[in-house]
Amino acid sequence: MTNEELWQTVLGEIELSLSKASFTTWFKNTAIQEIDDNKVIIVVPNIFAKEWLEKKYKKLILDSIQKHFPKVVSFGCIVGTAQVVPEKELETNKNPHHLKRKVSKKPLYKIQQSTGFRTNLNSKYSFENLVISSNNDLAYAACSSVATSPGDNYNPLFIYGGVGLGKTHLLQATGNQIFQENPAFLVRYISMERFANELVGAIQNKKIKEFKNKYIDLDLLILDDIQFLAGKEKTQEEFFHIFESLYQHGKQIILSSDRPPKSIPTLEDRLRSRFEGGMIADVNKPNLETRVAIINKKLEEKNTTVNEDIINYLAEKIHHNVRELEGALNKIIVTSQLKNKETTLKEVIELTKDIISTSHQNELSPEKILSSVADFYSIKTDEISGRCRKKKVIKPRQVAIYLLRKDVKLSFPDIGETIGGRDHSTAIYAYEKIKKELEKNELLKDQLNFIREKFVDY
Ligand code: ADP
Ligand code: MG
């Protein structure tokens, strides 16, 4: 059995015990470099695959190898290009594990055009300084697979999750790696809010064609926080055409949102189905252990230390938003530097009082419900209790009434009072209407659950 045959057999076995996504992500472009007595050396395309294979899939790989080579007791990975077959053969080899890494064939003029072109990438975000744990490992796996072969596997890649949980970090890190490995790529990172503003500007200045061209030319488009598409018909329309063009040319698109596609209200069906046709991965809140690891990573980056009691205190108390955790940590570091002495736990408790009290607002209040509902439907809180009778406002109003009854258990007269001094019969009507609709409308059910997550979760 040659090394290649052995590896193909091992891959065949491993493939059976993993999901397709995990398998492609971690085993594409791998090969056995050599087998020396009792150790196998595997070539993998990047450091992430190395870590993953050596840590997470160690037993799986070793067990499989040992079936054929019982003498082998260990294996190690090295980063490199799997070059077991001469290049020519590789190109005709249909085996997906041997696909050659894509080489950018971009004509020079494009690179020149790109002078002064802004990628908006921020080099401070990388995969190395991201802590990977069960809350984000799927999203990370998908991003790292996209980074290895943009446009190939997961297009579009859609990452979603709550505020401050590392979505932008993941997107930027992916962009940075792709740009590093493909310097000729036209890459652009932009938030949906800015994209929409740029579009408005382009319309006003009659430069819509230039605007579109700028995006259609890209090799990689990263759009952050696309929940801002909700209710923006014109932006959705233009974005759809750009999306189609990029997609059809095999250009990678990466999107993020605070919610899954189905929970973005008023998103055109054609966009929703495009988003759902790619890879969707979520990021969740990190557990305590991971929060400690994140703090340590940040300290390492800043080349500083903080007392362990303080680390544990922060990790325990700030649990739903890594940005706040980082903010609190920075506050402590700066204070220590200013005073030129270590901050005590007592001082830390005082310093982080505000952040921690807002993290702990457990009780459901009518205000919280109204603002969550308004937020979800991209309208103003006032509009829910206002007099407007447009469809765009009526639905959110009814949903708010339903939740006030169901979750806060307000009486119907109190609900009427809360929603702009309406009669209790209005509240009853709305409540019954939503209740009925929920029996048959799965989408509405998901949307309600999403709104609920925002206020019950912490
Ligand atoms: P989001 O875009 O989801 O709101 P960000 O990507 O802006 O969140 O993350 C907020 C901050 O938390 C950033 O500074 C980011 O580096 C940090 N962060 C979030 N998750 C992690 C993680 N797993 N490891 C390291 N830093 C993280
Ligand atoms: Mg973000």
Side-chain angles (χ1 to χ4, degrees):
M1 198 183 238
T2 67
N3 288 353
E4 214 213 321
E5 282 162 356
L6 169 64
W7 193 233
Q8 286 315 312
T9 316
V10 170
L11 289 178
E13 285 175 16
I14 290 174
E15 192 171 6
L16 297 178
S17 41
L18 296 182
S19 72
K20 188 164 174 278
S22 303
F23 181 75
T24 341
T25 306
W26 301 116
F27 291 93
K28 205 173 142 180
N29 291 317
T30 58
I32 290 183
Q33 166 103 349
E34 61 177 283
I35 303 178
D36 122 30
D37 260 4
N38 51 16
K39 185 168 181 179
V40 172
I41 309 287
I42 300 165
V43 200
V44 296
N46 53 51
I47 182 86
F48 316 111
K50 174 178 157 70
E51 274 185 24
W52 214 259
L53 263 59
E54 286 178 348
K55 287 196 190 126
K56 205 151 174 166
Y57 296 134
K58 185 172 172 190
K59 188 165 172 343
L60 195 65
I61 296 171
L62 212 52
D63 283 354
S64 178
I65 296 177
Q66 282 167 343
K67 277 191 211 156
H68 312 278
F69 283 67
K71 270 211 271 173
V72 170
V73 289
S74 67
F75 78 92
C77 297
I78 55 165
V79 179
T81 317
Q83 270 183 344
V84 277
V85 196
E87 288 228 333
K88 259 216 172 109
E89 281 173 46
L90 259 175
E91 269 161 8
T92 50
N93 193 334
K94 296 218 176 62
N95 189 326
H97 311 305
H98 286 147
L99 280 182
K100 223 174 61 154
R101 300 277 289 282
K102 248 198 348 208
V103 185
S104 166
K105 297 196 195 79
K106 194 158 297 301
L108 204 60
Y109 73 88
K110 254 202 167 176
I111 304 173
Q112 283 158 358
Q113 267 186 3
S114 75
T115 330
F117 182 88
R118 301 242 318 263
T119 65
N120 295 330
L121 287 174
N122 183 336
S123 60
K124 82 171 190 191
Y125 296 108
S126 72
F127 286 133
E128 281 86 353
N129 61 19
L130 182 76
V131 174
I132 318 289
S133 186
S134 53
N135 63 310
N136 64 359
D137 61 351
L138 178 66
Y140 163 72
C143 284
S144 110
S145 164
V146 162
T148 324
S149 46
D152 272 0
N153 285 333
Y154 305 135
N155 208 10
L157 170 61
F158 191 106
I159 304 289
Y160 76 90
V163 179
L165 298 183
K167 299 183 299 297
T168 298
H169 192 133
L170 272 164
L171 262 54
Q172 284 267 355
T174 313
N176 278 323
Q177 189 177 322
I178 294 177
F179 193 47
Q180 239 166 43
E181 289 180 9
N182 307 275
F185 264 31
L186 289 183
V187 176
R188 191 169 173 84
Y189 163 94
I190 189 162
S191 70
M192 185 47 92
E193 208 172 4
R194 261 187 69 193
F195 178 89
N197 288 340
E198 263 189 25
L199 175 64
V200 170
I203 294 171
Q204 279 166 357
N205 300 320
K206 305 208 163 33
K207 293 226 160 109
I208 186 94
K209 203 156 172 230
E210 286 87 338
F211 171 82
K212 264 191 184 156
N213 286 344
K214 183 165 86 182
Y215 283 93
I216 284 170
D217 262 355
L218 294 175
D219 295 293
L220 167 65
L221 170 61
I222 305 176
L223 262 171
D224 208 353
D225 290 320
I226 66 149
Q227 68 272 13
F228 282 105
L229 271 176
K232 296 196 177 67
E233 275 167 40
K234 182 72 185 154
T235 311
Q236 291 195 21
E237 160 104 32
E238 293 305 335
F239 174 60
F240 180 77
H241 295 300
I242 291 167
F243 182 99
E244 283 294 276
S245 168
L246 291 174
Y247 181 79
Q248 261 146 32
H249 289 94
K251 304 303 174 63
Q252 181 70 46
I253 302 150
I254 309 177
L255 309 163
S256 88
S257 164
D258 66 352
R259 58 194 86 171
K262 65 177 177 215
S263 300
I264 303 175
T266 72
L267 183 67
E268 283 181 32
D269 283 343
R270 56 180 183 174
L271 274 174
R272 178 171 301 136
S273 70
R274 293 296 186 286
F275 296 167
E276 285 170 351
M279 166 80 177
I280 301 184
D282 59 346
V283 289
N284 293 297
K285 291 175 192 153
N287 61 21
L288 179 64
E289 217 178 19
T290 310
R291 296 196 296 275
V292 171
I294 293 174
I295 297 179
N296 283 322
K297 192 83 157 186
K298 302 288 173 194
L299 288 171
E300 198 183 295
E301 256 170 63
K302 293 186 204 307
N303 210 357
T304 179
T305 53
V306 160
N307 194 312
E308 207 168 308
D309 290 350
I310 295 176
I311 298 180
N312 292 334
Y313 177 78
L314 293 178
E316 237 164 66
K317 296 289 184 187
I318 307 177
H319 38 80
H320 67 277
N321 183 329
V322 180
R323 188 176 301 127
E324 285 185 353
L325 189 62
E326 206 179 336
L329 182 66
N330 287 341
K331 208 166 165 183
I332 292 161
I333 296 173
V334 170
T335 312
S336 304
Q337 280 166 352
L338 281 178
K339 290 193 182 158
N340 206 8
K341 70 178 180 56
E342 259 193 39
T343 314
T344 63
L345 182 58
K346 206 168 153 214
E347 287 166 324
V348 168
I349 295 172
E350 184 59 30
L351 273 174
T352 54
K353 219 169 50 192
D354 292 348
I355 301 174
I356 286 168
S357 73
T358 54
S359 304
H360 274 260
Q361 280 171 3
N362 290 326
E363 327 84 76
L364 268 185
S365 64
E367 292 73 34
K368 229 169 178 177
I369 294 215
L370 295 190
S371 69
S372 301
V373 171
D375 204 29
F376 181 81
Y377 287 102
S378 304
I379 60 171
K380 295 201 189 75
T381 315
D382 296 351
E383 289 180 280
I384 295 183
S385 34
R387 294 285 136 197
C388 172
R389 300 201 43 82
K390 281 201 189 122
K391 208 170 144 207
K392 137 180 178 222
V393 186
I394 289 185
K395 188 59 173 264
R397 191 177 291 145
Q398 291 174 339
V399 165
I401 290 173
Y402 178 83
L403 290 171
L404 286 172
R405 174 73 198 154
K406 192 88 185 159
D407 295 11
V408 194
K409 315 253 183 291
L410 285 191
S411 69
F412 285 118
D414 282 349
I415 295 175
E417 196 53 45
T418 311
I419 308 276
R422 289 181 154 79
D423 191 73
H424 73 280
S425 62
T426 311
I428 296 176
Y429 173 80
Y431 173 77
E432 292 297 338
K433 185 156 187 299
I434 297 295
K435 192 175 153 204
K436 239 200 208 113
E437 203 177 328
L438 282 172
E439 285 165 16
K440 45 187 199 304
N441 187 339
E442 283 295 315
L443 185 63
L444 183 66
K445 218 190 254 173
D446 285 336
Q447 296 185 342
L448 248 69
N449 285 339
F450 182 83
I451 298 172
R452 282 184 162 125
E453 256 178 41
K454 288 216 155 174
F455 52 72
V456 268
D457 223 15
Y458 346 127

